[in-house]
Amino acid sequence: MAEKKKLSKKTLAKSFRNWSYGNLTCFSQEHMQTFGYLCAMLPIVEELYDTPEEQKQALQTYSAFFNTEPQIGTMIVGVTAGLEEARANGEAIDDDAINGIRAGLMGPLAGLGDSLIVGTLIPILLGIALGLSTGGSPLGAIFYIVVWNLLMFLGMRFAYNQGYELGGKAVEALVGPKAKALRDSIVMVGTMVIGAVGATWVSITCSPNLVLPGGGKFQDTLDGIYPHLLPMVFIIFCWYMMTKKKVNPIVMMLILVVIAFVGVLIGFFDPALSY
Amino acid sequence: MAINAFQAALFGLFACLASLPGMGGTTIGNYTLGRPLVAGLIVGIIMGDMQTGILVGAAIQVVYIALVTPGGTVSADVRAVSYIGIPLAILAIKNSGIDPASAEAAGMAASLGAAVGTLGTVLFYGTATINLVWQGMGWKWLEKGDLHKLYLVNNVLPWIGHIVCSFLPTFIITMGGTAMVDLMKTYMPMDGIAMKTLFTVGSLLPTVGIAILLKQVISKPTDFLTFFFGFTLSAVMGCNLIAAAGIGCFFALINYEIASLKIDLANAPKAAIASGSDDEEEEDI
């Protein structure tokens, strides 16, 4: 029997590089990340199979539609690298099995990645970076560039290797009960930071000319009820419209334009500016 | 202040790299160069006023702090926001003499950025549609077994689409920026309804970005308390974001300990003692 085929470190690194750079470069609404995936698998099939015909056949497995959250989805590429290696060693894994696994993983990991990475990690990093940018300091942007890229490089490489070595078990670790507890806790930090971002970075005030009958400024009254009351009210309003009324973000922005226009007309809003 | 051809070309190049789908890749391109705060630094350096660049970038960043693109649907285009919106906003602020650090400048930046970003979604669909051509060629090459041509499809040919949909629009619009801003100044005086509305919209827009995030993280009504807690930390107690994140981590730790204790207790009868988890040994009964 022939010697057991094993993917070299170099090939795995190349596959990882191809994915982490090219996952969305040739994106289209029809095939989304499929071509990025093909490029990530190309070094793998080239090493595992000798004849061009075999290589082509193996690669065609991955021409099925693929789309997920690209950072966390790196794990799926790792898993299929492991599967392809097993298949090249004669294990009974057919195209349907591989694509079944891919299709089964891409949905849950997309949901996970969208809420953890795009919904929590990036806002936390950007929130901290915004705090460091006060007065136009470049520190915040530099902080974000360094921390985000470092985290993603290490995290994605870890995800790829975990996927390759552990196969399906790696994904188990992301969606098991303990992982859910951890995820919920991270989202909790995210929710608090979003609250702090809302209070720090949204500044909505009513017109300074708006005076109550007693003589006090209306804005002071609002601040007396709760500091930053107007930003809070508008955030909840937008959330309500988009979540409960299913208004999309562009329409939501247009609604705010109308509110601003009407508010300026009746004198509630007045930025009090001049050139 | 004006933008010369060299500067406009640089903006065009960064637009190619930072788009979604862009030539800088997702991590470095879209999620780094495409973030308005980072773009503010880059555009500021290119235009020779880093400080204003950062202030403008930060103001626009708040609107787009959570730009989630589920299933490839976009509500704003990052290349347009970052490399068309920010240069125009800097011009507008400098040429109208507002203090770049003021709330008015932030409002102007946010509304200009959002307007450009929304119009820019057409660039996103343009790029994705042109990519279909390269993908069509890719399928033929795959069929023929010409596998290395796939690298061409994925990494090289999309540049052509970007020259059309990213480089040229950015170059042309930012080159004409000064004229546009001058027109605005003449026809839209600051005390007119249009400008007042523009600035007010700018101050309202960040709430949409924050609400999009909330939509992601709130799954039950009590989650609002968590949000409200974070808001209060900042609004009433004056915590900055790092402090708020630190306090958040502490509560998250407690939450995690309680949640994993619950899991261990639920598993205890079945798994007996053998599979007890490592961090909760003492509490196991």
Side-chain angles (χ1 to χ4, degrees):
Chain A
M1 204 182 131
E3 201 185 328
K4 211 161 180 268
K5 287 174 184 169
K6 182 98 179 89
L7 287 165
S8 69
K9 278 229 156 60
K10 207 176 139 214
T11 306
L12 288 170
K14 190 168 184 208
S15 160
F16 170 70
R17 272 203 311 276
N18 285 358
W19 172 258
S20 52
Y21 169 71
N23 50 49
L24 275 170
T25 44
C26 195
F27 169 94
S28 75
Q29 297 285 343
E30 196 181 338
H31 302 295
M32 298 203 168
Q33 297 162 355
T34 310
F35 276 83
Y37 212 105
L38 286 170
C39 284
M41 293 311 288
L42 186 50
I44 307 256
V45 302
E46 277 186 324
E47 176 158 310
L48 291 174
Y49 303 99
D50 297 328
T51 68
E53 197 49 39
E54 281 177 317
Q55 289 175 0
K56 184 184 117 184
Q57 208 186 346
L59 197 61
Q60 272 175 338
T61 312
Y62 304 96
S63 56
F65 172 84
F66 188 80
N67 188 46
T68 190
E69 198 284 315
Q71 328 288 335
I72 215 162
T74 309
M75 187 172 268
I76 306 178
V77 187
V79 170
T80 47
L83 287 173
E84 195 61 55
E85 188 185 72
R87 172 157 82 167
N89 283 316
E91 277 187 43
I93 302 169
D94 60 3
D95 287 9
D96 289 344
I98 291 180
N99 276 319
I101 290 170
R102 286 209 307 160
L105 292 180
M106 68 189 194
L109 286 195
L112 196 61
D114 279 347
S115 61
L116 276 192
I117 297 183
V118 192
T120 307
L121 177 66
I122 294 185
I124 288 181
L125 290 181
L126 283 174
I128 295 172
L130 283 171
L132 294 171
S133 306
T134 330
S137 157
L139 206 62
I142 293 167
F143 163 84
Y144 178 79
I145 295 171
V146 172
V147 175
W148 160 255
N149 282 289
L150 203 66
L151 281 180
M152 279 309 111
F153 175 72
L154 296 176
M156 286 167 76
R157 204 177 55 173
F158 179 75
Y160 185 96
N161 292 336
Q162 287 287 304
Y164 169 66
E165 277 158 27
L166 302 176
K169 271 191 234 118
V171 184
E172 196 76 356
L174 277 183
V175 289
K178 278 267 162 112
K180 188 182 176 298
L182 182 63
R183 215 163 65 223
D184 288 348
S185 306
I186 297 172
V187 168
M188 199 172 153
V189 185
T191 313
M192 280 187 210
V193 173
I194 295 163
V197 168
T200 315
W201 287 93
V202 183
S203 142
I204 303 171
T205 50
C206 64
S207 164
N209 306 326
L210 213 61
V211 179
L212 290 177
K217 280 189 180 173
F218 187 55
Q219 181 62 43
D220 293 344
T221 313
L222 288 178
D223 285 339
I225 300 170
Y226 189 79
H228 298 255
L229 182 66
L230 282 177
M232 178 59 112
V233 168
F234 271 96
I235 291 169
I236 305 274
F237 171 66
C238 292
W239 174 84
Y240 174 78
M241 292 301 281
M242 289 196 293
T243 311
K244 302 290 172 191
K245 301 282 173 200
K246 309 281 176 217
V247 172
N248 82 34
I250 293 181
V251 176
M252 191 64 234
M253 288 183 178
L254 291 177
I255 293 174
L256 291 182
V257 171
V258 174
I259 292 177
F261 182 69
V262 174
V264 167
L265 274 187
I266 62 172
F268 185 78
F269 292 120
D270 185 0
L273 291 168
S274 56
Y275 279 117
Chain B
M1 193 182 215
I3 291 173
N4 63 35
F6 177 66
Q7 288 168 325
L10 279 177
F11 297 148
L13 177 67
F14 275 106
C16 296
L17 293 173
S19 321
L20 176 88
M23 299 318 295
T26 319
T27 312
I28 296 174
N30 177 35
Y31 285 136
T32 307
L33 299 175
R35 300 300 101 177
L37 181 64
V38 176
L41 174 69
I42 295 169
V43 172
I45 290 173
I46 294 174
M47 291 177 73
D49 188 346
M50 189 183 73
Q51 196 189 3
T52 307
I54 302 252
L55 289 168
V56 166
I60 297 181
Q61 182 64 72
V62 183
V63 184
Y64 295 112
I65 199 150
L67 200 60
V68 190
T69 53
T73 49
V74 296
S75 52
D77 185 80
V78 284
R79 93 198 80 178
V81 169
S82 291
Y83 293 100
I84 300 176
I86 293 179
L88 288 188
I90 293 178
L91 279 183
I93 289 166
K94 296 298 262 188
N95 291 0
S96 56
I98 319 173
D99 173 13
S102 63
E104 291 75 35
M108 184 181 215
S111 40
L112 253 172
V116 172
T118 307
L119 295 174
T121 48
V122 65
L123 301 176
F124 164 79
Y125 291 105
T127 321
T129 308
I130 294 174
N131 279 343
L132 274 174
V133 179
W134 324 130
Q135 294 186 336
M137 292 156 84
W139 294 128
K140 287 214 188 74
W141 280 322
L142 181 62
E143 200 56 45
K144 274 199 287 183
D146 214 347
L147 301 183
H148 270 259
K149 290 266 174 65
L150 289 176
Y151 288 136
L152 194 68
V153 170
N154 203 47
N155 302 340
V156 181
L157 291 174
W159 274 104
I160 301 172
H162 276 289
I163 291 173
V164 179
C165 291
S166 307
F167 185 85
L168 286 177
T170 308
F171 183 82
I172 293 166
I173 296 173
T174 51
M175 271 294 275
T178 323
M180 267 179 63
V181 172
D182 284 345
L183 269 180
M184 198 174 82
K185 253 173 90 175
T186 321
Y187 291 102
M188 295 161 80
M190 278 291 182
D191 48 359
I193 294 286
M195 282 313 253
K196 278 187 182 174
T197 305
L198 187 68
F199 285 122
T200 306
V201 171
S203 69
L204 296 182
L205 278 177
T207 58
V208 179
I210 289 168
I212 292 175
L213 269 185
L214 273 188
K215 206 175 141 190
Q216 292 278 319
V217 295
I218 287 190
S219 48
K220 52 185 188 297
T222 51
D223 289 342
F224 263 113
L225 283 175
T226 318
F227 168 74
F228 196 65
F229 183 72
F231 193 95
T232 306
L233 280 180
S234 241
V236 183
M237 302 166 76
C239 286
N240 68 14
L241 290 169
I242 299 174
I247 294 171
C249 283
F250 177 71
F251 280 94
L253 178 71
I254 296 174
N255 183 58
Y256 178 71
E257 295 287 337
I258 295 172
S260 48
L261 192 62
K262 271 192 210 154
I263 295 165
D264 287 341
L265 282 177
N267 291 341
K270 277 176 279 172
I273 317 144
S275 68
S277 105
D278 31 280
D279 51 352
E280 238 72 57
E281 291 291 358
E282 308 96 308
E283 281 91 350
D284 275 351
I285 301 157

